[in-house]
Amino acid sequence: MPRTLLLLVPLLTATLAAAPATAQMMKSPAVPEPGTPDKVVPLAKGQVQLSFAPVVKRAAPSVVNVYASHVDTRGQSRSAMDEFMRRFFGDNGGGRGRGGAPGERAQKSLGSGVIVDESGLVITNNHVIENMNEVRIALADRREFEATIVLRDPRTDLAVVKIKSPSGGLIPMAFGDSESLEVGDFVMAIGNPFGVGQTVTQGIVSALARTQVGSSDYQFFIQTDAAINPGNSGGALVNLQGQLVGINTAIYSQSGGSHGIGFAIPASMVRAVVETAKGGATAVRRPWLGARVQSVTPDIAESMGLDHPTGVLVASLQAKSPAEEAGLKRGDLILTVDGKSVDDPEAFGYRFALKGLSGQTQFGILRGTGRSTVSVKLSPAPETRPRETLKVRTRSPFLGATLMNTSPAVAEELQADFPADGVAVASVDEGSIAARAGLQKGDMIVAINGLPVATTKDLERITRNSLNMWEVSINRGGEVMTSMFGG
């Protein structure tokens, strides 16, 4: 007999045996013991038919599957390595990509997304389509469409794609108020885990404002125990009104599966990225403060007369920045942004990033023993000099790196300190000489072989000739390091 039947038999027997006793109890109700809650038998069909199905019916049509791929056409000829990979790993590993076409290599990615506009805009995670150049969207009703990438925002790990020539019948999901969520609220995650098809899981909000997750620059996540697995990335976290309150983006896992600790980007940030895409922009621009802030330790909190660590401390200011113009000073403690409390630099960065690029925002600050409010102008970081982007192609420790002249705008994008001498490393190609040399995005190249580097033209001139040895000074996070590299 199957295990399920073995389990059901005792339960059915217990139910039948209890029937006479139940009838006796109806004749002579027992007096409950003090402190014991009354147990009530369901009296109507509706009392035993509670379900989340109506919410799912409302939200599920807006959740899509996202299939992304990157196809490189390599021509018809095969190298010896191509042939080796083909013989030992099959055509997909040896130079055949989508459709088996000779000379193509394909990378593929699977994720989820949410329709947020009737025109066909779909929000998903940036890591789902990162480095991809082909995207297809599969709707819940099994229709499939090609899509174009409208906007990528790696700093929030969000991206917007647009369905090409939608044939109608698209159902966008309404945004919910992620700011009103409370720990303990019911939520549901909808997506395509492991590629098995659209799946719904249910749980609660386990925590809010999680900032130590590390999957994006703006860390301020909703934590939930609703099961989230690979393939759920970019899917919807919905409330009981079927509204979008978050985009599922990361899990804490030691095995690759769900351990009941999942993280979603709040709808307030998602909405900001979507509105940027609707406005026709291809990149998200955020307000510039022109100040560096740091966490408040227990020792700092005690020295400032605080009951507990809270807020962020202004560590430095840039000249002619909105922070300086607002009257902020080094040592000020920022407690709130437009009345919303901030407890660490990540929470402050998230709150400030949502403010847009016009008008003003109010900071509640503590200076000494006095509390006050300052108005900070909202504007983008200025590009005070041309970037003059340089892709290094000569053999040197910088081969494979992309470099830019520094400015507040570049520093803001790279999350680097400004002002700072040198040339900024904007990106490093994987597996390149620059990567093997240890260069990282955000590094500032200060000097090469004792010669100061102020612009990308300086670096290009210095690296024009090959050398046997290179002495490179790098400013990383305020600390200058000098290393020797072979030619």
Side-chain angles (χ1 to χ4, degrees):
M1 182 179 292
R3 180 180 294 272
T4 52
L5 292 180
L6 288 171
L7 291 173
L8 282 172
V9 169
L11 288 172
L12 289 170
T13 304
T15 301
L16 292 172
T22 302
Q24 183 65 33
M25 289 173 63
M26 293 178 66
K27 295 178 181 178
S28 305
V31 178
E33 297 180 7
T36 302
D38 293 338
K39 296 181 180 180
V40 180
V41 176
L43 301 177
K45 185 178 180 181
Q47 293 179 328
V48 293
Q49 287 188 318
L50 297 178
S51 171
F52 293 111
V55 181
V56 176
K57 288 178 181 178
R58 187 179 304 122
S62 303
V63 181
V64 302
N65 297 340
V66 179
Y67 301 96
S69 61
H70 183 96
V71 179
D72 285 332
T73 302
R74 303 292 183 91
Q76 299 297 321
S77 62
R78 288 183 185 273
S79 67
M81 181 57 71
D82 285 337
E83 185 61 26
F84 173 83
M85 296 292 285
R86 184 192 68 78
R87 291 180 62 187
F88 283 88
F89 296 101
D91 283 338
N92 287 335
R96 291 183 183 268
R98 185 177 178 181
E104 289 186 355
R105 292 179 180 273
Q107 295 175 304
K108 296 184 178 181
S109 174
L110 168 66
S112 304
V114 183
I115 301 171
V116 290
D117 189 77
E118 292 179 349
S119 66
L121 288 181
V122 173
I123 189 80
T124 186
N125 280 137
N126 181 67
H127 72 256
V128 171
I129 64 166
E130 191 173 14
N131 301 321
M132 302 298 172
N133 55 16
E134 294 184 3
V135 178
R136 289 190 66 82
I137 300 296
L139 305 186
D141 61 12
R142 302 177 67 179
R143 287 182 293 164
E144 290 193 15
F145 301 92
E146 291 185 2
T148 56
I149 299 172
V150 175
L151 180 151
R152 303 175 191 259
D153 189 35
R155 296 183 67 182
T156 57
D157 193 22
L158 291 171
V160 179
V161 302
K162 190 176 190 301
I163 295 174
K164 292 181 180 178
S165 304
S167 58
L170 299 181
I171 304 175
M173 185 179 293
F175 281 98
D177 183 8
S178 55
E179 298 292 330
S180 67
L181 283 178
E182 295 183 330
V183 174
D185 283 350
F186 280 116
V187 287
M188 285 177 287
I190 308 177
N192 183 16
F194 299 108
V196 301
Q198 190 176 89
T199 302
V200 181
T201 55
Q202 176 267 327
I204 63 169
V205 174
S206 305
L208 295 167
R210 288 297 196 208
T211 59
Q212 303 301 318
V213 178
S215 68
S216 69
D217 288 347
Y218 293 103
Q219 299 182 40
F220 198 79
F221 295 96
I222 302 165
Q223 182 181 328
T224 178
D225 65 349
I228 298 174
N229 288 289
N232 269 118
S233 289
L237 189 73
V238 303
N239 59 20
L240 294 190
Q241 288 72 49
Q243 299 169 328
L244 184 69
V245 293
I247 291 294
N248 302 318
T249 189
I251 59 174
Y252 175 82
S253 176
Q254 295 177 330
S255 65
S258 174
H259 287 182
I261 304 177
F263 301 96
I265 302 168
S268 52
M269 179 62 80
V270 177
R271 188 197 296 267
V273 173
V274 171
E275 291 301 321
T276 299
K278 286 183 178 180
T282 58
V284 180
R285 301 187 71 190
R286 297 182 173 86
W288 175 52
L289 180 61
R292 185 170 62 86
V293 298
Q294 68 180 55
S295 298
V296 177
T297 65
D299 289 341
I300 293 175
E302 183 178 358
S303 69
M304 299 186 75
L306 300 174
D307 294 333
H308 61 279
T310 185
V312 292
L313 202 63
V314 178
S316 63
L317 296 163
Q318 297 177 26
K320 299 180 181 179
S321 66
E324 185 185 67
E325 292 174 355
L328 284 174
K329 299 182 181 298
R330 187 173 180 273
D332 284 349
L333 185 67
I334 302 174
L335 299 170
T336 62
V337 177
D338 277 347
K340 302 285 187 180
S341 62
V342 292
D343 290 329
D344 52 41
E346 290 79 14
F348 170 78
Y350 174 86
R351 292 291 181 198
F352 187 61
L354 290 177
K355 295 294 117 179
L357 296 175
S358 62
Q360 294 183 330
T361 186
Q362 307 298 314
F363 288 177
I365 68 168
L366 174 67
R367 180 178 295 167
T369 58
R371 296 183 181 238
S372 61
T373 300
V374 298
S375 297
V376 180
K377 181 182 177 182
L378 297 170
S379 62
E383 197 146 325
T384 51
R385 61 173 175 167
R387 300 186 179 208
E388 295 180 342
T389 301
L390 171 66
K391 179 74 172 183
V392 179
R393 302 190 185 282
T394 56
R395 187 167 182 83
S396 70
F398 311 101
L399 181 61
T402 300
L403 302 113
M404 295 178 178
N405 291 333
T406 56
S407 69
V410 169
E412 185 75 12
E413 291 174 16
L414 301 180
Q415 293 293 279
D417 288 337
F418 185 86
D421 295 330
V423 169
V425 178
S427 65
V428 180
D429 293 343
E430 186 177 352
S432 66
I433 290 178
R436 294 198 294 272
L439 288 184
Q440 299 177 12
K441 178 181 175 180
D443 284 348
M444 297 289 179
I445 310 302
V446 178
I448 302 173
N449 294 336
L451 299 173
V453 176
T455 67
T456 55
K457 289 181 179 178
D458 291 340
L459 190 142
E460 185 177 28
R461 174 176 48 80
I462 295 171
T463 59
R464 191 169 295 156
N465 299 320
S466 298
L467 298 175
N468 292 328
M469 293 295 294
W470 299 85
E471 181 186 88
V472 181
S473 295
I474 300 171
N475 183 336
R476 180 177 295 167
E479 180 180 356
V480 178
M481 307 173 292
T482 300
S483 302
M484 299 297 295
F485 301 96

